[in-house]
Amino acid sequence: MHSHAHPFPYLNSLPQPNLQNHNNLAIQTLQLNLLLSSPTSFLLLLAASAMVVCSKPELDTFSVINDCKPTTFVSEIPVIDLSKSDAKTLVVKACEEIGFFKVINHGVPMELISILESEAVKFFSLPQPRKEEAGLANPFGYGNKRIGSNGDIGWIEYLLLRSNPEFISERSLSIFGESQEMFCSAINDYISALKMMTCEILELVAEGLGIEQINVFSKLLTEEESDCLFRINHYPPCPDLQGLSCPNVIGFGEHTDPQIISVLHSNNSTGLEISLRDGTWVSVPPDQSSFFINVGDSLQVMTNGRFKSVKHRVLANGLNSRVSMIYFGGPPLDEKIAPIPSLMEEGEESLYKEFTWSEYKSSVFKARLVDNKLENFEKGSE
Ligand SMILES: C=C1C[C@]23C[C@@]1(O)CC[C@H]2[C@@]12CC[C@H](O)[C@@](C)(C(=O)O1)[C@H]2[C@@H]3C(=O)O
Ligand SMILES: O=C(O)CCC(=O)C(=O)O
Ligand SMILES: [Fe+2]
């Protein structure tokens, strides 16, 4: 089960970028040297390498976090080894206690991840008008600073795509230009590897919860009409933060993901933070060889609140370029989102009204990031 054999024919035909340290250590060092020796060349280098350069007036519109609190790196992020027999118990524990965990021994080939990430970096390095040819995110396409359509902004640029192969090939020409064919298969293979791993995790969840039908969650992602999304986020370094003492800017404001589950990979940059049950924000140490899993709102509902979707956010900074790729596992539009009957104790009632994913989704997409989107779907609310 853990040696997923995917044929990735293009892997050998591509130059293999070394993304171990894909935070451009070299570029960063160069930037620092240039800044000291020649501020003009420094700015030119940034314009060429960092794509979106922030200017002071623009920065005023972003939420700069400069409170100098030391970053708390959480030590207790659960790490689940998918090849171990205790995985199902640990996954359930992590979903109950934090709604967030990291998986290792996941079976997704590192080359697949690296290739996609380096293609993404190439895309984000294109001139702005070229990136906009990908079509502006409303909601799908290239987005820059605006997140959603209700006024949220962040220090971010991104590609938001449907995860089905037809959509990817339809959009790939405008997004990836000449390298589209290879890229298109890399992205489709990445998505199918992620889907397979996500289903494996959801089956562990079902087993760990003692549900007989172990594909009760995973089947929602494998159905033809599943509503899964794929997102690549880029948080460029924000040079104007460099003079500040403890500089951070909101890259992606706090929110929960509305789907069932989200699977995140990032380069070696910090920035992701999760909110623990006591409300403290903790920074998630990056790990390029692992995936991070978020419980989404829909899984919260399907477990009648036993699992809680995790609040998270991303802080960008003055130095590092963060690249993250997230697969969002969503059910078909007409799927009823409701507690799994076998999970309910005798006499236990659903905490939520009846609704479909389509109804939830339209409500979510009218909301701001920070809003508690499930509130209107709780029993007892208007
Ligand atoms: C402000 C928004 C962006 C978002 C749709 C929303 O109206 C509220 C939820 C946001 C979110 C968060 C998780 C995913 O990144 C996302 C694609 C999703 O399904 O819900 C985004 C939406 C988006 O960026 O369009
Ligand atoms: O970019 C990240 O690391 C997380 C972004 C996120 O939470 C999202 O896209 O929903
Ligand atoms: Fe998210």
Side-chain angles (χ1 to χ4, degrees):
M1 184 194 318
H2 303 289
S3 55
H4 310 303
H6 288 279
F8 301 124
Y10 46 84
L11 289 183
N12 296 331
S13 61
L14 277 178
Q16 300 287 305
N18 176 5
L19 289 172
Q20 280 314 95
N21 255 323
H22 156 130
N23 266 348
N24 311 334
L25 260 190
I27 290 188
Q28 281 166 32
T29 317
L30 190 57
Q31 282 173 352
L32 283 175
N33 289 341
L34 273 173
L35 178 61
L36 295 175
S37 60
S38 157
T40 320
S41 324
F42 170 70
L43 283 178
L44 280 175
L45 175 72
L46 275 178
S49 71
M51 319 103 218
V52 191
V53 176
C54 52
S55 60
K56 276 252 150 49
E58 203 175 38
L59 199 53
D60 293 342
T61 60
F62 292 88
S63 316
V64 176
I65 298 183
N66 203 25
D67 61 4
C68 286
K69 273 209 244 89
T71 310
T72 319
F73 278 103
V74 69
S75 51
E76 68 262 38
I77 287 183
V79 180
I80 316 283
D81 183 337
L82 290 187
S83 66
K84 294 263 173 72
S85 57
D86 60 357
K88 56 178 185 291
T89 318
L90 296 179
V91 162
V92 168
K93 189 168 183 280
C95 290
E96 286 175 338
E97 291 177 358
I98 312 192
F100 185 83
F101 57 94
K102 167 166 130 170
V103 293
I104 59 171
N105 282 326
H106 44 69
V108 178
M110 283 315 290
E111 297 99 305
L112 199 52
I113 302 172
S114 304
I115 285 174
L116 206 48
E117 199 175 271
S118 67
E119 287 295 325
V121 169
K122 272 197 238 156
F123 172 78
F124 289 122
S125 315
L126 292 170
Q128 198 61 24
R130 174 63 192 81
K131 288 186 277 195
E132 288 173 6
E133 279 170 28
L136 292 183
N138 61 356
F140 301 116
Y142 169 76
N144 182 6
K145 301 189 186 83
R146 284 175 217 285
I147 302 173
S149 48
N150 309 307
D152 283 289
I153 52 163
W155 190 249
I156 185 175
E157 56 177 342
Y158 59 88
L159 277 169
L160 181 57
L161 307 167
R162 283 188 204 282
S163 76
N164 52 312
E166 303 74 41
F167 182 89
I168 302 291
S169 59
E170 186 193 298
R171 285 294 179 104
S172 65
L173 184 57
S174 53
I175 298 177
F176 305 111
E178 280 157 27
S179 60
Q180 59 134 349
E181 245 173 62
M182 203 148 54
F183 191 81
C184 202
S185 18
I187 203 168
N188 285 331
D189 287 341
Y190 181 86
I191 289 173
S192 42
L194 269 260
K195 178 176 281 196
M196 206 191 274
M197 181 192 64
T198 311
C199 287
E200 195 180 313
I201 293 169
L202 287 174
E203 284 167 20
L204 287 174
V205 169
E207 274 188 74
L209 285 170
I211 301 173
E212 216 166 284
Q213 189 197 344
I214 68 160
N215 70 351
V216 66
F217 304 117
S218 62
K219 71 175 170 41
L220 303 176
L221 272 56
T222 50
E223 280 170 33
E224 179 119 22
E225 303 78 31
S226 294
D227 187 23
C228 299
L229 303 180
F230 183 57
R231 171 170 214 143
I232 309 183
N233 292 330
H234 174 229
Y235 305 88
C238 186
D240 280 331
L241 289 175
Q242 288 173 355
L244 306 176
S245 51
C246 316
N248 276 306
V249 67
I250 291 288
F252 206 116
E254 71 172 85
H255 66 284
T256 58
D257 293 347
Q259 291 80 2
I260 298 171
I261 190 167
S262 325
V263 181
L264 179 147
H265 181 272
S266 81
N267 68 349
N268 204 22
S269 291
T270 55
L272 179 63
E273 298 196 341
I274 59 168
S275 167
L276 299 179
R277 294 283 182 262
D278 66 2
T280 43
W281 284 98
V282 291
S283 184
V284 177
D287 179 353
Q288 298 181 89
S289 59
S290 306
F291 288 93
F292 293 96
I293 316 293
N294 288 336
V295 168
D297 297 340
S298 302
L299 192 53
Q300 173 171 328
V301 175
M302 287 188 262
T303 56
N304 206 25
R306 180 161 161 189
F307 294 177
K308 291 271 181 342
S309 53
V310 63
K311 256 192 229 160
H312 55 285
R313 65 181 183 190
V314 178
L315 303 185
N317 62 53
L319 283 178
N320 297 327
S321 173
R322 177 178 167 86
V323 178
S324 57
M325 310 197 283
I326 305 113
Y327 170 73
F328 299 96
L333 287 177
D334 59 6
E335 186 69 33
K336 279 213 174 82
I337 308 297
I340 307 290
S342 68
L343 283 182
M344 305 287 268
E345 306 277 337
E346 221 181 280
E348 183 179 342
E349 287 199 7
S350 171
L351 298 174
Y352 305 94
K353 301 171 187 168
E354 277 200 1
F355 60 92
T356 61
W357 169 241
S358 159
E359 286 164 335
Y360 188 53
K361 205 176 148 181
S362 24
S363 160
V364 159
F365 278 78
K366 285 187 207 118
R368 299 289 297 258
L369 278 175
V370 73
D371 294 340
N372 175 357
K373 292 149 200 92
L374 272 180
E375 207 170 40
N376 298 333
F377 294 83
E378 281 163 9
K379 277 197 182 149
S381 64
E382 275 170 34

